[in-house]
């Protein structure tokens, strides 16, 4: 898995994000609907990876409730993506603190259905997905947000509320763990 | 990815309900009525020394009850129901109108009856009207700045970027 250390610098995307935020803050209902349609699937996918499919939809509802209540206070609309994933991160962490032990999360991952690969490429993709799910929560979240959701290091640092150096360490550790698990998975096959 | 056809629709339904001004209007009305009652009761209690003790305590308890309702309505409007920029302007106008009406009504009652309590209520109403007007001014200024920023960003997107 290659590292992607470049920042998210697309100015047009940032303008679109800020415009969406400003329209929401003005109270345009269509703007909220646009945000939901743009981000609903990605947030749900992130929550499924972090918290499991059985609770992801509930958590997603909570994420949108919190986003709706606090968007009026979002001062920098260009940070929309990190802000949304930050809310999702906090919602997931609140749920874990309240209801789940680490053993319950590992049990949920172990209950996931076994993949049935058809081709070598698909087999590898499914193995990657499975091994990603076996990583510890923090490392799993870091890889998911950085490589799958395309957040920059700075955005990931905002979401996890840690310095960028810590984010880099987590990503390095996560890749090492995932690489080791993938090798062991290949050897099993 | 599994088939989840209703997930965005469920969220959209929740968003529409949260954004509806009708869901906030009832709590806004509750807060206005509660504050008006507090002002009226406080004015009477402060200017009518001859009230029987039981009457005094009953009116004080009623004022306290209205304080609880006003606090509850304020909490709902600030924490549970999103007040976006356009709704803050609307709410500000309603608050100014209600406070001004209360002030004028109290003043007219004072002029008609000479009751000190009515004059005191009118004075407090004037302060509240000023406070509501300040909030409305701030809300309108914020709303105007957001509209300006929106127009700038729209112009940028039509130009294709920075």
């Amino acid at each position: 898995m290659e590292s992607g250390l470049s920042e998210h610098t697309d100015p047009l995307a940032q303008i679109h994000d800020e415009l969406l935020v400003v329209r929401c803050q003005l109270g345009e209902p269509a703007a909220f609907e646009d945000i939901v349609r743009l981000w609903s699937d990605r947030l749900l996918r992130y929550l499924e990876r972090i918290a499991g499919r059985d609770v992801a939809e509930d958590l997603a509802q909570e994420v949108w409730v919190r986003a709706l209540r606090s968007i009026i206070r979002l001062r920098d609309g260009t940070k929309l993506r990190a802000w949304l994933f930050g809310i999702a991160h906090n919602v997931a962490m609140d749920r874990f603190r309240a209801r789940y032990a680490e053993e319950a999360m590992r049990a949920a991952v172990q209950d996931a259905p076994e993949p049935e690969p058809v081709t070598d490429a698909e087999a590898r993709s499914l193995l990657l997905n499975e091994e990603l799910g076996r990583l510890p929560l923090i490392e799993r979240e870091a890889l998911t947000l950085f490589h799958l959701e395309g957040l920059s290091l700075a955005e990931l640092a905002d979401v996890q509320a840690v310095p960028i150096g810590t984010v880099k360490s987590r990503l390095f550790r996560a890749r090492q763990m995932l690489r080791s698990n993938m090798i062991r998975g290949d050897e099993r096959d | 990815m599994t088939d989840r056809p209703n997930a965005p629709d469920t969220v959209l339904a929740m968003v529409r309900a949260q954004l509806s001004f009708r869901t906030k209007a009832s709590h806004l009305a509750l807060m206005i009525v509660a504050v008006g009652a507090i002002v009226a009761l406080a004015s009477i209690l402060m200017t009518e020394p001859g009230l029987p003790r039981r009457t005094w305590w009953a009116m004080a308890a009623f004022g306290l009850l209205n304080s609880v309702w006003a606090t509850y309505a304020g909490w709902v409007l600030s924490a549970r129901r999103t007040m976006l920029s356009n709704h803050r302007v609307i709410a500000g106008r309603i608050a100014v109108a209600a406070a001004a009406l209360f002030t004028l009504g109290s003043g007219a009652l004072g002029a008609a009856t000479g009751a000190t309590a009515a004059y005191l209520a009118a004075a407090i109403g004037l302060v509240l009207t000023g406070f509501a007007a300040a909030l409305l001014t701030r809300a309108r200024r914020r709303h105007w700045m957001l509209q300006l920023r929106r127009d700038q960003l729209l112009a940028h997107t039509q130009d294709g970027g920075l």
Side-chain angles (χ1 to χ4, degrees), chain A residues 135-167:
Chain A
L135 293 179
L137 174 63
I138 296 299
E139 284 77 13
R140 184 166 76 239
E141 182 186 41
L143 280 185
T144 299
L145 289 175
F146 188 75
H147 289 288
L148 299 181
E149 300 300 336
L151 268 67
S152 66
L153 287 174
E155 288 174 325
L156 185 48
D158 284 341
V159 169
Q160 294 192 326
V162 295
I164 289 182
T166 305
V167 167

Side-chain angles (χ1 to χ4, degrees), chain A residues 12 15 18-19 22 24-28 32-33 37 44-45 48 53 57 61 64-65 68-69, chain B residues 1-2 4 10-12 15-16 18-19 79-80 82 84-86 143 146-147 149-150 153 157:
Chain A
L12 196 55
I15 289 173
E18 187 181 356
L19 179 58
V22 168
C24 287
Q25 291 173 337
L26 280 167
E28 295 182 21
F32 280 102
E33 298 189 7
R37 290 199 175 94
L44 188 60
R45 200 163 56 224
E48 284 179 346
R53 288 184 174 174
E57 286 205 18
Q61 291 273 354
W64 287 112
V65 168
L68 195 57
R69 285 182 191 153
Chain B
M1 187 184 297
T2 58
R4 295 182 300 273
T10 307
V11 172
L12 287 172
V15 166
R16 292 185 191 112
Q18 284 276 333
L19 292 180
R80 303 293 295 178
T82 305
L84 297 166
S85 181
N86 56 343
H143 192 74
L146 285 172
Q147 287 176 319
R149 184 57 182 157
R150 179 194 58 191
L153 292 168
T157 58

Side-chain angles (χ1 to χ4, degrees), chain B residues 28-155:
Chain B
L28 183 61
L30 174 63
M31 189 160 68
I32 288 173
V33 168
V35 169
I38 291 167
V39 172
L41 287 167
S43 301
I44 293 172
L45 291 178
M46 283 190 286
T47 58
E48 299 293 330
L51 284 175
R53 185 178 293 273
R54 282 184 304 180
T55 304
W56 195 96
W57 281 110
M59 294 180 78
F62 193 49
L64 190 62
L65 183 63
N66 278 280
S67 299
V68 171
W69 280 116
T71 304
Y72 164 74
W75 172 73
V76 168
L77 289 171
S78 63
R80 303 293 295 178
R81 292 282 185 267
T82 305
M83 289 285 272
L84 297 166
S85 181
N86 56 343
H87 289 166
R88 291 184 180 194
V89 171
I90 294 171
R93 288 176 182 156
I94 293 173
V96 169
L101 200 62
F102 179 86
T103 303
L104 289 172
S106 301
L109 187 63
T113 63
T116 310
Y119 283 123
L120 180 58
I124 297 173
L126 197 60
V127 172
L128 290 177
T129 304
F131 181 67
L135 288 180
L136 174 60
T137 301
R138 189 174 75 169
R140 289 180 66 180
R141 182 169 179 272
R142 170 83 172 142
H143 192 74
W144 174 79
M145 289 176 65
L146 285 172
Q147 287 176 319
L148 187 64
R149 184 57 182 157
R150 179 194 58 191
D151 295 342
Q152 289 172 343
L153 292 168
L154 278 172

Side-chain angles (χ1 to χ4, degrees), chain A residues 29-129:
Chain A
F32 280 102
E33 298 189 7
D34 289 344
I35 283 187
V36 170
R37 290 199 175 94
L38 280 171
W39 292 98
S40 178
D41 280 351
R42 289 180 66 177
L43 285 174
L44 188 60
R45 200 163 56 224
Y46 160 77
L47 289 168
E48 284 179 346
R49 289 187 182 277
I50 297 303
R53 288 184 174 174
D54 55 337
V55 297
E57 286 205 18
D58 281 346
L59 295 182
Q61 291 273 354
E62 178 62 23
V63 169
W64 287 112
V65 168
R66 291 194 193 184
L68 195 57
R69 285 182 191 153
S70 58
I71 195 165
I72 192 67
R73 293 189 293 275
L74 177 57
R75 293 189 180 278
D76 186 354
T78 60
K79 294 189 189 305
L80 174 63
R81 181 168 63 170
W83 178 75
L84 280 173
F85 279 107
I87 293 175
H89 166 87
N90 291 333
V91 166
M93 293 305 124
D94 287 348
R95 181 64 67 98
F96 292 151
R97 274 192 288 271
R99 291 181 56 184
Y100 291 98
E102 184 64 29
E103 290 78 11
M105 282 188 284
R106 283 199 290 268
V109 170
Q110 288 163 6
D111 287 341
E114 290 295 327
E116 296 180 0
V118 176
T119 65
D120 285 345
E122 286 181 358
R124 251 191 113 56
S125 175
L126 287 169
L127 177 63
L128 176 63
N129 205 43

